[in-house]
């Protein structure tokens, strides 16, 4: 069964970016994931199809009204139930949410589906949140203009974790952050570019040595660029004596520190 995604959004066309292009587009075409959008404007029954109004208590901007969102969520929950999902979950994309990381992505990707609620304007009437929202997700400590981009980031990350979505079944496990390290450097033709040579080891054909060099580069670059990640790896994944030796050798030959 595909991962069943329902999105509540005033801008459904934005989701063409994930459904129509690249790896994520292929996952949709292959039926690995399914996405439906629900526009709260279609559930706004006044003459102007209003979905927002000024905030009680005053202040700038507009607030999304509860009723059109609640009716859209009800339809989304009903669709998820109809395809066999017994516990429907509404995740509100919001700067106030739990900050997304790789661990949370793997947890979410094991669920049968998700209903993603995208906010616009200053936010959503709090009564809708307390009545309907099961979890809150942020994509990081910076401000984007609405929940749609955040929802698309989450959908993209989830797709990458679903077996069969990436051509090579090894690829998801080799992604950065999976073993707690940054990626090693990559090279392709030509062998010499503007006088700059590809590291000799990569041209040697010695695959065991190449694997060790890449691991050393991953360890060294994480130490250089993301010491916070290296500390986490030590605590959570641990470091083998071999990895420790490779990192020490990297540190000794490092030009930058
Ligand atoms: C003045 C307070 N602003 C909060 C920082 C108002 C506000 C700005 C932008 C409220 C919501 C938004 C739109 N952002 C999202 O909907 C959003 C988001 C984000 O901005 N950063 C990180 N993750 C997310 S998830 C949804």
């Amino acid at each position: 069964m595909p991962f069943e995604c329902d999105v509540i959004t005033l801008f459904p066309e934005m989701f063409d970016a994930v459904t129509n292009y690249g790896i994520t587009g292929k996952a949709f075409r292959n039926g690995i994931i399914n996405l439906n959008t629900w526009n709260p404007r279609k559930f706004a029954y006044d003459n102007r199809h209003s979905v927002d109004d000024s905030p009680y208590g005053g202040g700038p901007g507009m607030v999304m009204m509860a009723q059109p969102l609640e009716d859209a969520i009800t339809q989304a929950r009903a669709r998820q139930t109809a395809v066999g999902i017994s516990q429907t979950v509404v995740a509100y994309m919001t700067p106030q949410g739990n900050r997304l990381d790789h661990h949370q992505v793997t947890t979410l990707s094991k669920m049968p589906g998700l209903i993603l609620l995208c906010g616009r304007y200053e936010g959503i009437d709090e009564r809708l949140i307390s009545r309907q929202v099961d979890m809150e997700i942020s994509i990081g400590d910076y401000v984007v203009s609405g929940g749609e981009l955040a929802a698309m980031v989450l959908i993209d990350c989830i797709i990458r974790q679903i077996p069969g979505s990436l051509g090579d079944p090894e690829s998801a496990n080799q992604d950065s952050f999976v073993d707690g390290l940054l990626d090693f450097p990559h090279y392709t033709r030509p062998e010499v570019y503007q006088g700059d040579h590809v590291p000799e080891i990569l041209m040697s054909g010695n695959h065991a040595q190449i694997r060790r060099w890449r691991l050393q580069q991953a360890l060294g670059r994480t130490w250089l660029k993301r010491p916070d990640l290296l500390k986490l790896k030590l605590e959570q994944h641990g470091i083998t004596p071999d990895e420790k030796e490779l990192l020490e050798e990297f540190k000794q030959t490092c030009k930058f520190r």
Side-chain angles (χ1 to χ4, degrees), residues 209 230 242:
Q209 284 287 78
L230 189 60
D242 194 41

Side-chain angles (χ1 to χ4, degrees), residues 235-254:
E235 289 163 11
Q236 294 179 1
H237 306 257
I239 191 165
T240 67
D242 194 41
E243 287 176 328
K244 181 114 192 92
E245 193 184 306
L246 286 169
L247 181 56
E248 286 312 315
E249 188 186 75
F250 183 97
K251 286 180 180 177
Q252 258 139 46
T253 58
C254 181

Side-chain angles (χ1 to χ4, degrees), residues 93-96 119-123 137-148 150:
M93 306 308 297
T94 166
Q96 276 90 52
R120 282 272 152 177
Y121 316 115
E122 290 307 300
I137 301 172
S138 160
I139 55 164
D141 294 338
Y142 44 82
V143 180
V144 294
S145 298
E148 285 79 6

